[in-house]
Amino acid sequence: MKDPKKIYVMMKEKKADITVSAILCIAIGSAVILFPKLTIVMLCRTLALILLITGIVNLLTYFVDRKSRHLGLASGAVLILLGTVIMVKPTVIIPLLSIVIGAVLVLHGLKDMQLVMEGKEYEEKRWWLPSLLATITLMFGLYLIWYQFQASAVFVWFLGSALLYDGFSDLIILQKV
């Protein structure tokens, strides 16, 4: 049997990170389900704002120091154009949003699976339940990546449900392992 003190220290280090991540998933998932159109538009516009700011910074950097930033003008212009398009028509990137959130869920599922395997290594008796939950999270993520939904109520509901599930399953896995 492995040293229980080692797993206690390991879990204590990971607990805060996993808890914050789970709470964020629950909060965003709830917002998506309760306010689907508003949430998706806000997420898209936030991304657009980030692109606009990055584009402006690239342009300013190019004009201040032309020698070190050869691509500053081109990248700045492209980012500003992309940010403007998304700001004006946010639904353009919803299929891309599905891929990004799917990738996040796949990473969460893999991280959960690693946590389960670490618990099993320390002879956790009920490792199968957290393993099942981690596998379902992984499947949610792969489904979102594979089936890039169009802008529809089904996509938004599925997205919110997947995020809620991921948050709650992370909390359960954390308690079981």
Side-chain angles (χ1 to χ4, degrees):
M1 181 166 179
K2 303 278 182 166
D3 183 12
K5 289 182 183 181
K6 284 184 182 179
I7 194 163
Y8 176 76
V9 170
M10 177 195 67
M11 290 302 294
K12 190 173 180 181
E13 291 172 357
K14 292 181 180 185
K15 189 174 185 175
D17 176 48
I18 294 169
T19 303
V20 168
S21 175
I23 290 170
L24 280 173
C25 284
I26 292 168
I28 294 171
S30 297
V32 168
I33 288 174
L34 294 173
F35 311 104
K37 288 182 183 177
L38 178 65
T39 304
I40 295 299
V41 169
M42 284 180 59
L43 285 171
C44 293
R45 290 214 167 119
T46 301
L47 174 63
L49 188 61
I50 291 168
L51 292 173
L52 285 169
I53 290 169
T54 305
I56 291 168
V57 168
N58 282 0
L59 281 178
L60 291 175
T61 302
Y62 170 78
F63 287 116
V64 170
D65 186 13
R66 290 185 188 200
K67 291 180 184 177
S68 66
R69 300 279 299 185
H70 297 289
L71 296 176
L73 180 64
S75 66
V78 168
L79 289 172
I80 289 172
L81 179 65
L82 188 58
T84 303
V85 168
I86 294 170
M87 187 66 79
V88 172
K89 190 143 174 83
T91 56
V92 167
I93 66 159
I94 287 179
L96 180 63
L97 198 59
S98 173
I99 293 171
V100 170
I101 292 175
V104 168
L105 289 175
V106 165
L107 291 174
H108 276 211
L110 291 173
K111 190 168 72 170
D112 291 346
M113 194 60 77
Q114 179 183 6
L115 194 61
V116 168
M117 292 301 124
E118 289 170 2
K120 186 179 177 190
E121 185 179 309
Y122 286 94
E123 299 181 13
E124 171 62 36
K125 291 179 180 29
R126 289 186 232 135
W127 61 271
W128 62 270
L129 177 61
S131 179
L132 177 65
L133 295 174
T135 301
I136 292 170
T137 298
L138 213 104
M139 290 171 59
F140 265 133
L142 291 172
Y143 189 80
L144 281 172
I145 291 168
W146 191 262
Y147 296 102
Q148 301 161 20
F149 294 99
Q150 300 303 319
S152 70
V154 173
F155 163 70
V156 174
W157 181 86
F158 184 82
L159 175 64
S161 298
L163 288 168
L164 278 172
Y165 173 83
D166 181 47
F168 284 117
S169 69
D170 281 353
L171 292 175
I172 291 169
I173 289 169
L174 189 61
Q175 293 301 316
K176 293 291 181 188
V177 175

